[in-house]
Amino acid sequence: MAGITDQPFRQLCCQLGAGLAVSEMVSSNPKVWNTEKSKLRMIHDPAAGIRSVQIAGSCPDELAFAAKINADSGAQIIDINMGCPAKKVNKKLAGSALLKEPALVEQIVQAVVKAVDIPVTLKIRTGWCEDTRNGIEIAKIAEHSGIASLAVHGRTRNDFYKGNAEYDTIKAIKAAISIPVVANGDITSPEKALQVLKHTGADAIMIGRGAQGRPWIFREINHFLTTGNKMLAPTLAEVRVIVLAHVMELHQFYGDFKGVMIARKHVSWYVQNLAETSDGFSAMFNLEQGKAFRAIFNGLASPDEQLATLNNFFDDFANGRY
Ligand SMILES: Cc1cc2nc3c(=O)[nH]c(=O)nc-3n(C[C@H](O)[C@H](O)[C@H](O)COP(=O)(O)O)c2cc1C
């Protein structure tokens, strides 16, 4: 996820039970690879689990070249983005706009598969819009072109993130092809994970927003799927260790200035999650208090201030001062 699944977050998700965490998308256009943003996205560290690098673009040769460069620099899987709904991406015929161009999808997939010796996976939506929901057609192209597994977000591009994800199309896609299918969209709990797996028959599930501020969701789902029992929510002490370590990693990975900025959004999600959903904590800490804390935290400009403020926050929390 662009802006979210950077190396520190992927590492954390894998430590907490994710089987695979895919990189933020990297443009296939080599002209932008020299920017700070792309350089950070193209660091492939083994600590963040299996190194799957997502590439986005529309030119088969360019995507093939990007795949090769990333494979040569350590990627173990190349993932192709055909799901992004952003206008600035779609107007270049990249991301989900490709779903309107099955012939080009075939050229891209075949070129990328041919360019590398590692598995190539594909991420799609169910189609461009309700009237042209061609996920099955794209899935068949993917299968016969050598794609190793297909992740499907149960919305069309025109849905953006609105409404609820639907799983009937994912089920139909799973039934139509024999490569592994990964179901994605609105999975935010162990129960929902089981329900989606059962409904679609998918081989795996993919979690996006449900992991924001709650990276332990992966181990909770694993536990539920393997034992049928709900795992206890992490203790406050454990959440404290996770959040502080995550923030310190961000400071280190991005440097002080950018690290502080990126930490703000993750801390905001953690705090919102504590106030809203995390079992037990919401009784001690409400949304208004969460909002007040976030306003203070977002005004802090140095790594040391962020860490000290978080330590005070967790001390106050632990001592019942919230
Ligand atoms: C901020 C944001 C950035 C995203 N970036 C990407 C991306 O770079 N590549 C991709 O395949 N999907 C991306 N997605 C889509 C997610 O991977 C996922 O398909 C979608 O959010 C639905 O799953 P969820 O309900 O579990 O979040 C992004 C989603 C969000 C909200």
Side-chain angles (χ1 to χ4, degrees):
M1 292 167 81
I4 299 164
T5 59
D6 52 20
Q7 186 180 296
F9 193 58
R10 295 199 305 278
Q11 192 169 318
L12 182 57
C13 291
C14 289
Q15 281 163 0
L16 290 167
L20 171 65
V22 183
S23 79
E24 300 168 89
M25 69 178 175
V26 177
S27 167
S28 64
N29 180 356
K31 287 191 194 128
V32 303
W33 293 347
N34 232 357
T35 61
E36 201 52 36
K37 189 161 132 184
S38 288
K39 278 197 224 154
L40 286 169
R41 287 184 181 188
M42 288 167 83
I43 296 175
H44 310 316
D45 191 309
I50 299 167
R51 300 186 293 279
S52 174
V53 178
Q54 187 180 74
I55 53 175
S58 58
C59 166
D61 289 344
E62 205 176 81
L63 279 153
F65 181 65
K68 171 112 182 62
I69 293 287
N70 279 286
D72 289 349
S73 61
Q76 294 168 307
I77 294 176
I78 296 295
D79 187 49
I80 308 175
N81 183 322
M82 296 193 191
C84 180
K87 285 201 175 90
K88 74 171 187 191
V89 174
N90 291 169
K91 80 170 189 251
K92 293 184 188 149
L93 212 58
S96 58
L98 286 165
L99 302 175
K100 290 191 289 187
E101 309 287 337
L104 184 55
V105 168
E106 184 168 41
Q107 286 172 31
I108 287 173
V109 168
Q110 291 184 352
V112 173
V113 168
K114 200 167 144 216
V116 293
D117 295 327
I118 54 178
V120 179
T121 59
L122 178 63
K123 165 87 182 298
I124 63 169
R125 286 182 174 234
T126 53
W128 175 259
C129 65
E130 213 182 313
D131 299 334
T132 59
R133 206 181 265 144
N134 62 344
I136 294 181
E137 179 189 10
I138 301 289
K140 286 185 174 165
I141 293 172
E143 178 173 44
H144 77 235
S145 302
I147 285 293
S149 86
L150 178 72
V152 188
H153 176 188
R155 286 186 175 85
T156 66
R157 184 273 180 184
N158 275 3
D159 293 335
F160 287 90
Y161 292 92
K162 295 188 301 267
N164 297 321
E166 56 90 13
Y167 307 108
D168 289 344
T169 308
I170 302 180
K171 180 180 177 178
I173 289 173
K174 170 63 195 166
I177 58 174
S178 55
I179 56 172
V181 170
V182 182
N184 168 242
D186 298 353
I187 301 171
T188 52
S189 69
E191 291 88 344
K192 184 81 183 270
L194 181 61
Q195 182 198 325
V196 172
L197 278 172
K198 277 194 175 153
H199 183 86
T200 58
D203 303 276
I205 45 163
M206 176 182 277
I207 315 274
R209 291 163 298 173
Q212 292 171 182
R214 199 182 158 199
W216 46 87
I217 190 172
F218 298 103
R219 70 175 188 198
E220 292 180 342
I221 291 177
N222 284 339
H223 185 85
F224 187 66
L225 293 179
T226 48
T227 67
N229 299 317
K230 289 284 291 278
M231 190 176 182
L232 287 178
T235 62
L236 191 59
E238 201 181 352
V239 173
R240 177 181 192 148
V241 170
I242 291 170
V243 174
L244 280 149
H246 186 183
V247 168
M248 281 192 270
E249 275 290 322
L250 291 171
H251 294 156
Q252 207 177 350
F253 184 74
Y254 287 107
D256 288 2
F257 181 73
K258 195 159 181 214
V260 161
M261 299 293 167
I262 305 270
R264 288 179 187 167
K265 80 180 154 191
H266 285 279
V267 167
S268 185
W269 286 322
Y270 283 117
V271 170
Q272 195 177 341
N273 176 60
L274 285 177
E276 257 176 15
T277 47
S278 254
D279 317 41
F281 300 133
S282 51
M284 302 151 68
F285 180 67
N286 63 38
L287 281 174
E288 279 312 305
Q289 288 166 315
K291 227 159 113 185
F293 176 78
R294 272 148 53 201
I296 294 169
F297 193 82
N298 289 344
L300 305 173
S302 78
D304 286 349
E305 280 176 307
Q306 285 193 332
L307 294 173
T309 303
L310 278 172
N311 272 314
N312 286 337
F313 168 75
F314 281 107
D315 280 344
D316 285 350
F317 215 144
N319 293 322
R321 287 197 285 267
Y322 270 111

